[in-house]
Amino acid sequence: MEKINKILVAADGSVDGCKAVDKAIDLAQRSGAQLDFVYVSSHINKDIPSDLIFNSIWAKLPEGVKAVKHVEKGSVHKIIVEMAKREKADLIIMGSRGLGLFKGALIGSKSQKVVEYSEVPVMVVK
């Protein structure tokens, strides 16, 4: 595997999403990669302000870890896959289940779709 320079992290405030953030921070510290956090506003999380999510993330970022935040609106998996391509991410990290009400057999439907459509490796954290 090539050196990881940029990691795209899906941040939604869910339990698994928070675990994904922690895993991404740890990996960025060890690899020196930049973190690009993306919050995708959808009908599921429309009442959760992105500032609440990002304030929590920025409070845990260690000194020296470079991070950028993105707020998008639309189809969660499409935005994540498109942003990974546009931002030239080497890896996507996301939680296995977000804030949705329905649970898939193994992983959530959003993370499953990202795995299916992404051109870069995807780490699904649970």
Side-chain angles (χ1 to χ4, degrees), residues 77-78 81 107-118:
H77 77 279
K78 288 180 183 176
V81 169
I107 63 175
S109 63
K110 306 299 182 212
S111 50
Q112 178 64 41
K113 286 180 181 177
V114 172
V115 168
E116 287 177 29
Y117 296 111
S118 176

Side-chain angles (χ1 to χ4, degrees), residues 7-125:
I7 302 169
L8 179 68
V9 187
D12 66 359
S14 68
V15 172
D16 286 350
C18 291
K19 291 177 185 177
V21 166
D22 293 342
K23 179 59 92 177
I25 291 171
D26 178 58
L27 188 55
Q29 279 186 289
R30 291 190 278 138
S31 68
Q34 173 181 310
L35 296 172
D36 276 32
F37 292 99
V38 60
Y39 174 85
V40 182
S41 177
S42 68
H43 67 283
I44 294 171
N45 63 358
K46 67 183 183 310
D47 297 325
I48 301 172
S50 62
D51 288 348
L52 184 65
I53 304 297
F54 288 125
N55 289 344
S56 172
I57 293 170
W58 256 245
K60 8 171 138 177
L61 275 178
E63 194 172 318
V65 174
K66 185 176 178 189
V68 180
K69 58 184 169 183
H70 305 271
V71 178
E72 301 285 335
K73 186 174 185 172
S75 170
V76 175
H77 77 279
K78 288 180 183 176
I79 298 279
I80 292 169
V81 169
E82 289 168 6
M83 181 164 285
K85 185 182 261 187
R86 183 175 71 233
E87 296 296 325
K88 297 179 174 65
D90 300 303
L91 176 67
I92 298 170
I93 299 181
M94 63 187 303
S96 64
R97 295 192 193 286
L99 298 171
L101 300 174
F102 303 105
K103 295 185 176 187
L106 299 174
I107 63 175
S109 63
K110 306 299 182 212
S111 50
Q112 178 64 41
K113 286 180 181 177
V114 172
V115 168
E116 287 177 29
Y117 296 111
S118 176
E119 296 177 7
V120 300
V122 179
M123 178 186 292
V124 179
V125 179

